[in-house]
C-alpha cells in the first residue's frame, strides 16, 4: 500500500517512520507547510516532500495519514476521501462535531476506510485491561474510572494545542479525548453523558481546565471520567475497571497494571502487578516516542486489515472519532444546562464493500 502523510511534526514524523518500516507499506509523499518538516518526514526514503495540499493530492497513492493540527484535518480528510483514498486521521478527528460528521459521511459515501489515531488502545497496559474484562476474570463489569491529565499550559509548544478555535476545547479535546475513547472501547458504546467543567485556572476562553463526568452505556454500565489541565504531578492517565470478582487497573506513565481477583464478592483477594521493565528502560533511552511508535506500527497493521474488509481489530474507526468529540460537546452542554445529554448509539462502522 502506498501512503502519504499530511503534517510532519512530532507525531507525523513517527507516523512516517512507521510507514517506512513496515514491509507492506511504502511512503510516497509527505506534505507539511514547513519544508524542513516535510523533508524530515521523508527520512531518506524515495518519498516526495511537498509544500501544498494540491501537489500532495496529485501524487498517486492508496491511503493518507493526517497528522496536522486539528483545525486543518477536515480539509485534508475530505480531499483524500474524495480522491478515493483510505484515511487514518490523528485525534481529535476534527475540532468540531460538525467537522467530524462531514468526514464520517464522506468516508461512507466514498466507501473508504476511516480510522482514527486512538493509539492508547495499543498500549500494553490498556490491552491488558480490555483482555481482562473480556475474559470475565473480574466478573461482571460494574463501572469504570478513567482519568487523563497533565499540568496544562506549560506543556504546550504552540497556540493550536490549547486555544479553542483551533483545538476545539481544553483538557477534554487534548488528553481527555483519548480517555473518552478508552471508556467507550471498554463499555462498547456511550449514550448518556452528564458532567461539569471548570475554566478558572488558565482562563483560556472555551478551553476547560477540568471536566468531570459520568458516561453510561446502553446497558447501564457507567464510567466516571476526569480530564484535567491541573494535574500538578505531571502527565498521567489511567483506567480502572471494577467487576463483581475484582478490579483491573491500567496506567501510564510508567506503563503499569494491577489486577485484584476474588472467587466471590468479598472473598479472599489475590493481587498481581505488571511493571513492564523493558518499556521503562526503552523509554529512558529513547523517550515516550518509542512507545508511541510501536502503537502506530500496530495501528498501521490493523489499518491494512480494515482496507481488506476486516473490522475485527482494535483500531478506532470514524464513529469512535466522532463519538469522542460529541461526548466532549455533551459534557459542555450538560455542564451549562445541568442536564443529562443523550446520544444515539453509533456502534462500529461497516466494512467497506466491493
Ligand atoms: N495519538 C497521540 O498520542 C497524539 C499525541 C500528540 C498529538 N496528537 C495529534 O497529532 C496531530 C499533530 O500533533 P503534533 O504534536 O505532531 O503537532 P506538531 O505541531 O508537532 O506538528 C504539526 C505539523 O503540522 C504542520 N502543519 C500545520 N498546518 C498544516 C497544514 N495546513 N497542512 C499540513 N501541515 C500543517 C506543522 O508545520 C507541523 O509540522 C494533532 O491532531 C494532535 O492532536 C496525537
Amino acid at each position: 500500500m502506498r501512503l502519504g502523510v499530511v503534517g510532519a511534526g512530532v507525531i507525523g514524523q513517527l507516523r512516517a517512520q512507521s510507514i517506512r518500516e513496515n514491509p507492506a507499506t511504502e511512503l510516497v509523499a509527505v506534505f507539511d507547510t514547513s519544508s524542513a518538516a516535510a523533508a524530515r518526514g521523508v527520512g531518506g526514503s524515495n518519498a516526495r516532500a511537498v509544500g501544498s495540499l494540491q501537489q500532495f493530492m496529485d501524487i498517486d497513492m492508496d491511503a493518507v495519514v493526517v497528522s496536522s493540527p486539528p483545525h486543518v484535518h477536515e480539509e485534508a480528510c475530505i480531499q483524500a476521501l474524495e480522491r478515493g483514498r483510505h484515511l487514518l486521521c490523528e485525534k481529535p478527528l476534527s475540532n468540531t462535531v460538525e467537522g467530524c460528521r462531514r468526514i464520517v459521511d464522506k468516508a461512507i459515501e466514498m466507501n473508504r476506510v476511516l480510522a482514527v489515531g486512538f493509539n492508547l488502545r495499543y498500549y500494553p497496559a490498556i490491552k491488558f485491561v480490555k483482555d481482562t474484562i473480556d475474559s470475565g476474570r473480574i466478573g461482571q463489569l460494574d463501572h469504570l474510572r478513567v482519568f487523563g491529565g497533565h499540568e496544562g499550559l506549560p506543556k504546550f509548544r504552540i497556540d493550536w494545542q490549547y486555544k479553542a478555535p483551533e483545538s476545539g476545547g481544553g483538557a477534554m479535546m487534548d488528553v481527555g479525548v483519548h480517555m473518552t475513547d478508552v471508556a467507550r472501547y471498554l463499555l462498547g458504546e456511550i449514550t448518556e453523558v452528564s458532567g461539569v467543567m471548570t475554566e478558572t485556572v488558565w482562563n483560556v476562553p472555551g478551553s476547560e481546565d477540568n471536566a468531570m463526568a459520568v458516561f453510561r452505556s446502553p446497558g447501564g454500565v457507567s464510567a466516571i471520567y476526569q480530564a484535567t489541565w491541573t494535574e500538578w504531578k505531571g502527565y498521567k492517565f489511567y483506567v480502572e475497571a471494577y467487576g463483581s470478582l475484582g478490579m483491573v487497573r491500567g496506567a501510564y506513565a510508567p506503563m503499569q497494571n494491577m489486577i485484584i481477583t476474588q472467587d466471590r464478592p468479598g472473598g479472599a483477594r489475590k493481587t498481581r502487578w505488571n511493571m513492564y521493565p523493558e518499556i521503562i528502560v526503552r523509554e529512558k533511552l529513547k523517550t515516550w516516542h518509542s512507545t508511541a511508535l510501536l502503537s502506530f506500527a500496530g495501528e498501521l497493521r490493523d489499518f491494512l486489515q480494515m482496507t481488506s474488509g476486516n473490522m475485527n481489530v482494535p483500531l478506532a474507526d470514524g464513529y469512535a472519532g466522532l463519538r469522542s468529540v460529541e461526548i466532549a460537546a455533551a459534557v459542555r452542554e450538560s455542564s451549562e444546562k445541568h442536564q443529562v445529554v443523550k446520544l444515539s448509539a453509533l456502534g462500529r462502522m461497516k466494512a467497506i464493500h466491493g
Side-chain angles (χ1 to χ4, degrees), residues 193-206:
V193 175
S194 54
V196 288
M197 302 171 340
T198 58
E199 217 179 275
T200 54
V201 178
W202 296 111
N203 293 306
V204 182

Side-chain angles (χ1 to χ4, degrees), residues 154-167:
K155 209 64 187 163
F156 298 122
R157 296 169 277 127
I158 320 165
D159 282 9
W160 70 255
Q161 294 182 302
Y162 68 96
K163 292 199 171 162
E166 287 84 28
S167 61

Side-chain angles (χ1 to χ4, degrees), residues 47-108:
R48 284 174 57 191
V50 295
S52 83
L53 191 57
Q54 192 59 50
Q55 273 178 298
F56 176 86
M57 290 296 167
D58 286 343
I59 296 169
D60 193 24
M61 64 184 89
D62 307 303
V64 174
V65 174
V66 172
S67 47
S68 48
H71 61 293
V72 294
H73 284 179
E74 185 179 350
E75 187 188 13
C77 289
I78 297 286
Q79 286 199 29
L81 291 166
E82 277 177 343
R83 300 269 186 138
R85 277 114 196 218
H86 300 295
L87 180 64
L88 196 172
C89 181
E90 261 303 338
K91 52 63 54 176
L93 179 55
S94 163
N95 60 341
T96 65
V97 170
E98 296 72 27
C100 292
R101 287 205 183 114
R102 285 189 289 266
I103 297 168
V104 168
D105 289 348
K106 185 58 75 179
I108 294 169

